[in-house]
Amino acid sequence: MEKHKSYDAKDIQVLEGLDAVRLRPGMYIGTTGPKGLHHLIWEIVDNAIDEAANGYCDRIIVTLNPDGSVSVEDNGRGIPVDIHPTLKISAVEVVYTKLHAGGKFNNENYAYSGGLHGVGASVVNALSKWLTVEVCRGGKKYSMRFETTTKNGKTHGGVPCGPLEEIGKAIKSGTKVTFLPDDTIFETVEFDFETISKRLRELAFLNKGIEINLIDDRLHGAISATCLTYKYDGGIADFVKFMNEGKNALYPDPIVIEGEKNGVKVSVAIQHTDVYTDNVFSYVNNIPTSEGGTHEVGLKSGLTKVLNDLARKNNILKEKDANLIGDDFKEGLTAVLLVKMKNVQFEGQTKTKLGNPEAKNAVEGVVIDGLADYFASKKTGKVLSTIIDKAQGAAKVREAARKAKEITRQKNALDGASLVGKLASCSGKNYENNELFIVEGKSAGGTAKQARDRSFQAILPLRGKPLNAEKKRIDQVLLNEEIRTIITALNAGIGEDFNLDNLRYHKVIILADADQDGAHIRAILLTFFYRYMKELITNGHVYIGMPPLYKVYKKDFEEYVYSDVELPGAIERAGKGYGIQRYKGLGEMSNDQLWDTTMNPKARSLIQVSIEDAAEAEKMITVLMGDDIESRKQYISENADFNKKDDFKPTNK
Ligand code: 0RA
């Protein structure tokens, strides 16, 4: 709060421009961690994207250079080189040395409330060791260099090494910016290829037809650079198709709607598939709004209104039928929603929720008009009936699920007995310390019951494979006995009723064998949690237990080995005359062994399950659970997105 008061635009000017940025980098780029570091690239790329969005540029090349610098090159008009009438310096120099310089940056309306977008190229310059810019424009090539220098013990960021220089001729036009982030400012200056490639791919989807290249020239021991090219002539329609890969679309092409209302530009692409969940990705001015907001509300209400209306007009919905609700139309929906507007207000915990009320009406209006137009053609009649059909199916299930939930609730109230003989609960009532082990197989479950510390560890043995959550509707999932036992034991509800406050076990540990079947069980349980208890995963409550694969032993020597790569080392430590025991399954271990290796918080190693990227996770689940058995098998054996280690808390025991 105080920050905002003491630093308004005027004050920043008084504070000698770029030095203010170095004094308080967090105010301009949010953090000096990896996120802030990558914002430098987004900032420069955004400028090139703007040039492209205005129709002057169709190609952007981002290069990660061996010296740690990054180049962003575009084939736009080139930054203007003329001398500013009052400042008496070139426009290029203005752009890189004056905070909020340039038409776009003077317009406060563009400022992202988190302060992370549109803050300007000058911020990047201020936080770099050096920055060079090459401009090709009007048949000439120009260049300019800036450096962060220390004079009389004072460091100044982004100081011009000289004026903009004409260095030769040019045939084409464009701008190339190269900068080296200052390692005295950032916690790390190592750029992450994945982060950058994902964001550039997203930008290529959102800005159709623009070719975005990413070249990683840092090599890291490789003999040639890694190059990726993204170019999507179908734009957000291609984005929807991409997300629906591996799923069965109910109609061949995404429906694309575009329009503008009250100064809000709206683009939407939608396509339904035969899954039972939805996948809506929304953006404002190319910035992801992962918490949703008014534009998403407008999409849902627009779809609901126009589709009910069309269904009645076409006599697909009869007079006696009730209207379908928004959630019915969302079942199986994959959608990308992009709005462009001024005065953007972000809300929510992570400032990724659009707050502007006018966005709702604009999106709703555009969607209603657009879909009405789309379905006015005879050719699209079948698509309409397919969508209504899917929604009616969802409505039926909604009713069935309501009933099924009631049954589950009643059962819970009446009948703790439904868990007797399955769940071995723990005696402790401190839920934060409590752990629920979901154990593959009855015999391993029995061993775990013997091995555990019953003060905080509960055991739930699984008899068979719990059913595949993606393939079934929620009512069937709920009626599956294994799944219901898990729901009952966790006590936090399910779906929209899910409430972490009631969670009885703050660690949910899946313990399955290190084989294909075990991998399948893990995937099924994760799918179920992902679909119906997402917060359980996002809040870090789900873990994978790691049983050992081998024991290397000798007289006075014993070492458990958890992966094949660790085996040679253990053998070496054992020396001559060792023996190896290989564990084919959890069931082969004794109580003590299971406790020592897998359950004892002081010795075990758990993998915390996280979901970083909803799109990728959605895809993983689809690959794992969809019809494509080959890619599923391959995925299971190659991947595990379970990458964080458990940080052991000694309070556990
Ligand atoms: C013409 C006029 C203006 C900017 C540009 C071209 C331009 C800027 C950048 C930044 C990266 N690549 C670029 N290519 C062209 C000035 C208009 C304004 O201030 O917004």
Side-chain angles (χ1 to χ4, degrees), residues 7 11 38 101 112 115 303 308 348 354 411 420 496 506-508 620 650:
Y7 278 87
D11 297 330
H38 289 85
Y112 175 32
L303 284 176
N308 271 307
L354 181 63
K411 255 201 134 80
V420 174
E496 285 183 2
H506 278 231
K507 282 201 170 77
V508 177
M620 162 182 123

Side-chain angles (χ1 to χ4, degrees), residues 44 47-48 51 74 76-80 95-96 101-105 137 174-175 177:
I44 301 296
N47 294 340
E51 185 71 354
D74 67 63
R77 292 167 292 174
I79 299 175
V95 166
Y96 289 96
K104 148 172 145 173
F105 305 123
R137 197 179 155 99
T175 305
V177 186

Side-chain angles (χ1 to χ4, degrees), residues 18-297:
L18 299 194
D19 291 343
V21 180
R22 291 182 64 86
L23 210 59
R24 295 276 182 91
M27 277 188 53
Y28 297 87
I29 54 163
T31 115
T32 52
K35 217 170 164 189
L37 176 76
H38 289 85
H39 263 295
L40 302 183
I41 303 189
W42 311 153
E43 199 53 56
I44 301 296
V45 169
D46 276 355
N47 294 340
I49 292 277
D50 279 348
E51 185 71 354
N54 287 322
Y56 297 110
C57 151
D58 61 6
R59 201 162 165 227
I60 298 169
I61 306 169
V62 177
T63 310
L64 307 177
N65 299 309
D67 63 357
S69 66
V70 187
S71 303
V72 178
E73 186 174 359
D74 67 63
N75 65 349
R77 292 167 292 174
I79 299 175
V81 295
D82 45 305
I83 301 296
H84 191 281
T86 48
L87 297 171
K88 313 279 185 214
I89 55 176
S90 67
V92 170
E93 186 169 338
V94 174
V95 166
Y96 289 96
T97 57
K98 303 295 170 198
L99 277 167
H100 296 240
K104 148 172 145 173
F105 305 123
N106 284 334
N107 186 345
E108 205 195 275
N109 298 342
Y110 273 92
Y112 175 32
S113 70
L116 305 180
H117 282 260
V119 289
S122 58
V123 168
V124 178
N125 187 25
L127 301 176
S128 296
K129 278 238 139 84
W130 52 262
L131 181 146
T132 62
V133 51
E134 289 172 273
V135 172
C136 294
R137 197 179 155 99
K140 288 178 180 151
K141 185 169 183 176
Y142 306 83
S143 109
M144 184 162 185
R145 183 178 168 93
F146 306 84
E147 279 176 14
T148 289
T149 54
T150 304
K151 230 165 69 184
N152 305 329
K154 271 175 130 184
T155 302
H156 300 283
V159 183
C161 300
L164 181 76
E165 255 189 297
E166 191 183 318
I167 57 167
K169 291 198 167 99
I171 300 167
K172 295 180 179 163
S173 67
T175 305
K176 180 177 179 179
V177 186
T178 304
F179 63 92
L180 180 72
D182 189 337
D183 60 6
T184 64
I185 298 274
F186 293 97
E187 288 161 29
T188 166
V189 286
E190 175 131 22
F191 288 111
D192 179 55
F193 186 79
E194 280 282 308
T195 305
I196 297 165
S197 61
K198 269 189 193 153
R199 175 60 180 158
L200 295 181
R201 182 179 70 195
E202 184 173 62
L203 283 169
F205 278 129
L206 295 175
N207 295 277
K208 78 171 136 200
I210 303 177
E211 180 182 312
I212 305 182
N213 297 281
L214 172 60
I215 302 169
D216 190 351
D217 236 333
R218 297 171 300 178
L219 296 185
H220 298 301
I223 49 170
S224 63
T226 310
C227 303
L228 293 176
T229 299
Y230 300 116
K231 181 174 188 287
Y232 301 103
D233 291 328
I236 56 172
D238 285 350
F239 200 171
V240 167
K241 280 188 186 168
F242 171 79
M243 287 195 280
N244 283 347
E245 268 172 33
K247 290 183 193 168
N248 297 314
L250 299 182
Y251 38 95
D253 294 309
I255 302 169
V256 178
I257 304 158
E258 289 183 309
E260 181 169 351
K261 233 182 175 99
N262 302 327
V264 180
K265 282 189 193 155
V266 181
S267 316
V268 195
I270 63 169
Q271 188 178 41
H272 287 82
T273 70
D274 65 356
V275 305
Y276 303 115
T277 46
D278 63 272
N279 208 6
V280 176
F281 284 80
S282 64
Y283 300 85
V284 178
N285 301 340
N286 290 338
I287 302 162
T289 35
S290 19
E291 293 176 283
T294 49
H295 53 340
E296 281 195 21
V297 173

Side-chain angles (χ1 to χ4, degrees), residues 349-588:
Q349 284 204 310
T350 55
K351 294 267 176 270
T352 56
K353 181 175 181 181
L354 181 63
N356 302 57
E358 71 271 25
K360 174 182 180 276
N361 295 332
V363 175
E364 185 182 285
V366 168
V367 166
I368 290 176
D369 295 351
L371 273 189
D373 279 354
Y374 181 87
F375 288 121
S377 149
K378 276 219 164 58
K379 280 189 249 168
T380 51
K382 212 170 153 231
V383 175
L384 178 62
S385 56
T386 305
I387 293 175
I388 305 293
D389 222 46
K390 174 77 171 156
Q392 281 180 317
K396 276 197 198 115
V397 171
R398 173 159 52 85
E399 189 48 28
R402 197 182 56 74
K403 285 186 189 146
K405 258 192 221 176
E406 235 154 57
I407 298 167
T408 326
R409 281 207 195 102
Q410 284 166 2
K411 255 201 134 80
N412 290 351
L414 294 174
D415 186 12
S418 67
L419 288 182
V420 174
K422 291 179 200 148
L423 176 76
S425 53
C426 57
S427 55
K429 291 282 171 264
N430 184 352
Y431 299 148
E432 285 180 22
N433 277 341
N434 285 354
E435 304 180 343
L436 175 66
F437 283 84
I438 303 174
V439 185
E440 173 190 8
K442 251 189 164 162
S443 86
T447 314
K449 280 184 194 175
Q450 300 292 322
R452 70 188 174 132
D453 178 335
R454 64 170 61 234
S455 70
F456 70 99
Q457 293 180 321
I459 309 295
L460 179 64
L462 293 181
R463 294 159 314 161
K465 282 186 195 174
L467 58 67
N468 182 332
E470 160 112 0
K471 292 246 130 185
K472 304 285 178 187
R473 297 201 185 243
I474 188 160
D475 53 331
Q476 291 164 295
V477 169
L478 282 167
L479 291 173
N480 172 267
E481 197 147 342
E482 308 287 0
I483 294 287
R484 230 176 46 207
T485 310
I486 294 171
I487 298 166
T488 311
L490 294 181
N491 193 47
I494 183 167
E496 285 183 2
D497 298 338
F498 186 76
N499 186 355
L500 269 181
D501 295 343
N502 299 331
L503 186 65
R504 286 226 189 103
Y505 302 92
H506 278 231
K507 282 201 170 77
V508 177
I509 302 165
I510 303 171
L511 204 52
D513 290 334
D515 58 12
Q516 282 274 321
D517 266 358
H520 196 198
I521 285 191
R522 274 191 293 278
I524 286 170
L525 287 170
L526 290 185
T527 308
F528 167 71
F529 291 137
Y530 175 75
R531 294 287 189 207
Y532 300 109
M533 301 184 177
K534 197 168 260 172
E535 285 170 65
L536 198 65
I537 299 183
T538 53
N539 284 274
H541 295 295
V542 183
Y543 298 83
I544 307 287
M546 293 252 287
L549 293 180
Y550 309 97
K551 182 168 78 177
V552 178
Y553 60 91
K554 217 170 86 171
K555 195 169 178 275
D556 300 330
F557 182 89
E558 192 178 74
E559 188 174 328
Y560 291 100
V561 178
Y562 294 84
S563 70
D564 284 312
V565 291
E566 291 164 30
L567 185 58
I571 289 173
E572 205 173 302
R573 283 186 287 280
K576 276 204 177 96
Y578 66 88
I580 298 182
Q581 180 179 0
R582 191 196 145 125
Y583 297 108
K584 290 207 207 74
L586 290 162
E588 290 182 3

